[in-house]
Amino acid sequence: MTKSIVLLFLLSVSTICYSQSLYTALHMNDGKEYKFGRPKQIIEENTFYSSSHTETAKNIKVFDAAGMLLTEERYTPDGILTAKLTYVNDTTRHLKLSRIFERWLKYGRGKEIATNQYDEHGFLIGTIDSTAHGKIIDVVKIVNNGKGDPIELVLFDANNNPFGKETAEYNYDKNTVVTSVFKNDGTKLSSDTAKIRFTPATISEEDKSNYNQYNDAISYSTKNLNGSVNLYECEYRYDKTGNWIEQKTYIITLKSNGKKERQLNKLFKREIIYR
């Protein structure tokens, strides 16, 4: 399983646009925070490990009665609120309509708004990012195929100047999508392959060994911009509902003698409060 390469050269333009990659647009309304039951709140403690330091963050997520994410608060390890995301949802069609992103910075508070646009079929066709005062920051325009899956994404600045393009080619038989990022002059910057869906029905016989009985990945890989590949393995602990409450992710190093070395890369813990 490889992750889609986000439009890294575009991300510096906007701090909140959350459909700046076709992969993100494809999964915009998946609701991947949980799989079973109806949570009211999820409290997360996420720890990231590297050779030089350890970093921990705490998130509190609140869900509406329809089970959609309503707010997310992000805290430092010592309990200082640094950011808050507030969503407006269409609970009937299960679509995210907008997101307000507030940040508490050293010299004040920032607030930006992302508004999603859908066609008559409920397919995402764009996102407008603006300041709290309504000034447009940038605009994302998306073209979809007949299935409603995005095949082209272009980011424009406030003056309607394009910054680049990403395209997608789908292989539904293999449940894969190939995304490519281009500069304005047509130069390809990167290409990557990712899964289209993550349901039991879409997992191939070849990939079944990479998932456990809860359909959570126990091994996967990611591709770096230089073409190198990182290998990972995951271990889980579950609550009685079937949602994981602890996830350990190890980065795998293959030694010349054929043995593998596992080093803890991430430790995610969750307390799930159900309705």
Side-chain angles (χ1 to χ4, degrees), residues 33 45-46 109 130 138 147 151 174 200 207 209 213 250-251 268:
E33 289 85 6
E45 185 178 286
N46 301 329
R109 190 183 81 168
S130 60
D138 52 43
K147 295 179 179 292
I151 58 175
K174 294 185 177 181
D207 286 341
S209 61
Q213 68 270 31
Y250 299 87
I251 189 166
F268 291 174

Side-chain angles (χ1 to χ4, degrees), residues 55-123:
E55 182 178 342
T56 300
K58 181 179 179 180
N59 303 322
I60 298 178
K61 296 179 178 179
V62 175
F63 298 83
D64 60 25
M68 298 186 68
L69 183 61
L70 189 61
T71 63
E72 177 181 350
E73 294 178 341
R74 300 174 180 174
Y75 295 85
T76 62
D78 51 358
I80 298 175
L81 180 65
T82 60
K84 181 178 181 180
L85 298 84
T86 303
Y87 295 87
V88 176
N89 301 315
D90 180 338
T91 56
T92 301
R93 297 188 296 170
H94 215 77
L95 300 176
K96 294 177 181 177
L97 301 181
S98 65
R99 183 182 76 169
I100 300 172
F101 181 53
E102 299 173 88
R103 292 178 298 168
W104 282 263
L105 306 172
K106 185 176 181 180
Y107 299 105
R109 190 183 81 168
K111 184 177 180 180
E112 298 172 356
I113 301 170
T115 303
N116 293 326
Q117 299 175 316
Y118 297 90
D119 63 15
E120 66 274 15
H121 304 291
F123 300 154

Side-chain angles (χ1 to χ4, degrees), residues 34-40 63 65-68 239-243 272-275:
Y34 62 93
K35 293 181 179 179
F36 306 104
R38 188 61 61 85
K40 179 169 63 174
F63 298 83
M68 298 186 68
D239 64 12
K240 61 182 180 181
T241 306
N243 293 308
I272 304 178
I273 301 170
Y274 295 92
R275 293 186 179 276

Side-chain angles (χ1 to χ4, degrees), residues 7 9-10 13 20 137-141 152-166 182-186:
L7 298 179
F9 73 106
L10 300 179
V13 179
Q20 281 186 341
I137 301 171
D138 52 43
V139 176
V140 169
K141 296 182 180 180
E152 181 179 280
L153 179 151
V154 182
L155 177 65
F156 298 84
D157 65 13
N159 297 316
N160 205 36
N161 298 312
F163 270 82
K165 180 174 70 174
E166 187 179 13
F182 299 88
K183 294 172 61 176
N184 282 339
D185 62 7

Side-chain angles (χ1 to χ4, degrees), residues 8-23:
L8 295 176
F9 73 106
L10 300 179
L11 286 176
S12 60
V13 179
S14 169
T15 57
I16 87 165
C17 182
Y18 58 111
S19 62
Q20 281 186 341
S21 79
L22 287 174
Y23 187 80

Side-chain angles (χ1 to χ4, degrees), residues 192-252:
D192 193 31
T193 302
K195 298 294 184 184
I196 302 174
R197 304 285 182 239
F198 296 97
T199 62
T202 60
I203 298 177
S204 66
E205 290 295 327
E206 180 183 4
D207 286 341
K208 280 187 177 180
S209 61
N210 296 324
Y211 295 83
N212 63 16
Q213 68 270 31
Y214 295 98
N215 195 34
D216 288 321
I218 56 176
S219 62
Y220 66 93
S221 63
T222 61
K223 184 183 297 183
N224 300 313
L225 292 176
N226 62 7
S228 61
V229 176
N230 296 324
L231 303 176
Y232 298 90
E233 291 181 353
C234 298
E235 297 176 352
Y236 301 90
R237 188 162 57 89
Y238 293 86
D239 64 12
K240 61 182 180 181
T241 306
N243 293 308
W244 65 262
I245 54 175
E246 181 178 280
Q247 178 188 34
K248 292 181 179 180
T249 302
Y250 299 87
I251 189 166
I252 306 303

